[in-house]
Amino acid sequence: MDWARFAQDLASMARELLSQESVDATLERITKSATDLVEGCEAAGILVLHGKKVQTLAPTEQLVVDSDQLQERLREGPCFDAARTKDGERVFRIPDFTRDQPRWPAFAPQAHELGVGSMMGFLLYTDDEDLGALNIYSRKCGAFTEASELAGWLLASHAAVAFSSARAHAQMENAVATRHVIGEAMGILMGSHDLKEEQAFDVLRRYSQKNNIKLREVARMICERGSLS
């Protein structure tokens, strides 16, 4: 492992991650970086848990999606464990899928049938939130070394910060857009019904609650139609 070259590539990746225009673009750059920077990595993806449901983000190959779906069905697997771990291990690894895996007895043989030879899962996290797991795959058995694991962990650490930053930025943009459309809708109601600002917002709120429609969607409807009718 050429660590000097790796450090340069990782620094370049970190700069690029923070310059991506969307969460999806950030995640795609993360998984592409895994295949470029981690020795032995042939495919990568990010697994996120929503309750008992698994979501696969930015997979570089269908193999990643198939593996995540298998882990969801079986409720076991290294990446599934990494994504739901709050304390303790942050890295999970299966070096050779041709050998028995007591920790994941159902997942390992079925994943091998999918074409997985070895894999690793890295928790993506910052100090205040767990985000999911970065999954790294190879079709070859014994493809990942200790250097591969260290490189994957370093990549995941940078990726978690970029993922969190991109998500926060997207949420902020969404909040700004929501405030804008609500303000526009309130202006329409105030002008057409001679309402004060508080009264116009109360109309939006009550319609939202009565019809079980999000406030932003109610506001957008008013902006498009010019009224609630």
Side-chain angles (χ1 to χ4, degrees):
M1 183 74 176
D2 185 345
W3 288 109
R5 175 64 181 273
F6 175 82
Q8 293 176 351
D9 291 342
L10 189 65
S12 177
M13 179 212 71
R15 289 191 295 271
E16 290 181 15
L17 284 179
L18 295 176
S19 68
Q20 300 302 312
E21 296 182 354
S22 68
V23 174
D24 287 344
T26 299
L27 299 182
E28 289 171 3
R29 186 67 183 88
I30 289 169
T31 54
K32 177 61 167 58
S33 295
T35 61
D36 291 340
L37 300 181
V38 180
E39 287 185 347
C41 178
E42 295 179 303
I46 293 171
L47 180 152
V48 177
L49 285 178
H50 302 285
K52 296 182 179 180
K53 292 294 184 180
V54 166
Q55 181 182 15
T56 304
L57 304 176
T60 61
E61 292 189 22
Q62 183 62 35
L63 176 66
V64 178
V65 179
D66 294 340
S67 174
D68 287 354
Q69 291 177 346
L70 177 61
Q71 292 183 75
E72 179 183 38
R73 289 197 302 273
L74 299 176
R75 309 299 293 167
E76 71 171 58
C79 301
F80 182 84
D81 285 356
R84 67 178 180 177
T85 296
K86 297 296 182 182
D87 300 297
E89 293 179 85
R90 301 290 183 172
V91 180
F92 296 84
R93 181 177 171 191
I94 299 181
D96 188 345
F97 274 78
T98 63
R99 298 180 179 180
D100 291 337
Q101 302 294 332
R103 187 169 185 175
W104 303 291
F107 169 72
Q110 294 185 50
H112 186 53
E113 291 179 2
L114 294 176
V116 180
S118 50
M119 67 183 294
M120 295 186 290
F122 301 89
L123 183 67
L124 292 179
Y125 70 99
T126 57
D127 289 340
D128 59 350
E129 59 185 331
D130 293 321
L131 303 174
L134 172 64
N135 314 330
I136 294 178
Y137 295 85
S138 175
R139 292 179 174 82
K140 299 177 182 178
C141 297
F144 300 124
T145 64
E146 294 299 321
S148 300
E149 184 172 320
L150 177 57
W153 182 81
L154 291 170
L155 172 63
S157 298
H158 282 274
V161 175
F163 186 4
S164 180
S165 176
R167 191 170 64 175
H169 182 70
Q171 290 170 343
M172 184 179 299
E173 288 187 334
N174 183 65
V176 170
T178 296
R179 286 197 296 270
H180 176 77
V181 72
I182 289 176
E184 186 176 346
M186 288 172 58
I188 292 173
L189 291 176
M190 291 166 65
S192 60
H193 297 286
D194 193 25
L195 300 175
K196 295 181 179 180
E197 184 175 330
E198 295 81 1
Q199 293 173 318
F201 182 78
D202 191 52
V203 170
L204 290 175
R205 181 183 56 79
R206 285 189 282 108
Y207 189 94
S208 172
Q209 293 175 344
K210 181 179 179 181
N211 295 277
N212 195 27
I213 302 174
K214 291 183 178 180
L215 191 64
R216 178 175 178 174
E217 297 307 315
V218 176
R220 181 179 289 111
M221 182 175 63
I222 292 174
C223 293
E224 292 174 352
R225 300 177 183 178
S227 68
L228 281 172
S229 57

